[in-house]
Amino acid sequence: MSISEKTFLENVCKYCINKYTISNNGPLIASLICQICKHEDMDVPAMQGILRIYINEHYSRSFAHCFNIYRGIIVDASLYQYALVNKPIENLFPIYIVDTTPPHIEYTIYNEIKKDFQIKFSDKFLENALKSIKENDPYSTKRFTLLEDSKKEELFFCR
């Protein structure tokens, strides 16, 4: 992955995290990332799978999760939703992942979320999102609370 591709994917993740509620929106965010990247001629399919967090050497937690893949590399903008509801282990969840997965996190892919089963975002909506991503580079990211997350736009209504 080139530096410009990585920077673009990081900015897409930051855009999604800063603008939209991430709690329980993993499939929607994965679909949005997939469709935004299609406008840039990048194939970043949405995937269904399992996210496993190793808490210590004898204990791990698993979560059904949706994320994206680009050239075999994980792109995950909705990972932090689990930190919001798992306060005792919130420090184990990065805000997003592009490229480097921490050693205590493991992804298992079950299948691709086919285009027919994704929420379809309008071309105008995707173009506006892409314009915002390119104009507002770089977005800042910081840890946030469930209350702060609930004040963001609901992605389901933005199609």
Side-chain angles (χ1 to χ4, degrees), residues 60-121:
S60 67
R61 301 251 343 244
S62 298
F63 306 92
H65 189 53
C66 295
F67 50 94
N68 299 81
I69 296 288
Y70 180 64
R71 296 184 179 175
I73 295 169
I74 301 292
V75 176
D76 191 351
S78 60
L79 166 81
Y80 196 69
Q81 69 180 311
Y82 302 111
L84 299 176
V85 295
N86 293 284
K87 287 294 187 189
I89 58 170
E90 71 180 329
N91 63 316
L92 296 176
F93 296 93
I95 296 175
Y96 66 91
I97 292 177
V98 173
D99 192 14
T100 306
T101 305
H104 64 281
I105 295 177
E106 181 180 288
Y107 286 86
T108 303
I109 298 171
Y110 282 135
N111 59 356
E112 180 180 352
I113 303 172
K114 300 292 183 191
K115 299 243 186 268
D116 293 341
F117 299 106
Q118 293 181 21
I119 294 285
K120 305 279 188 293
F121 296 98

Side-chain angles (χ1 to χ4, degrees), residues 8 11-12 15 20 32-33 35-42 123-137 139:
F8 175 74
N11 287 338
V12 170
Y15 171 80
Y20 302 111
L32 178 61
I33 291 171
Q35 292 171 43
I36 285 172
C37 290
K38 269 287 187 234
H39 273 263
E40 290 293 292
D41 294 322
M42 296 172 72
D123 284 336
K124 183 168 179 64
F125 177 79
L126 294 171
E127 288 166 8
N128 288 338
L130 198 51
K131 182 179 176 184
S132 291
I133 290 165
K134 289 180 176 182
E135 287 178 356
N136 296 320
D137 178 43
Y139 287 94

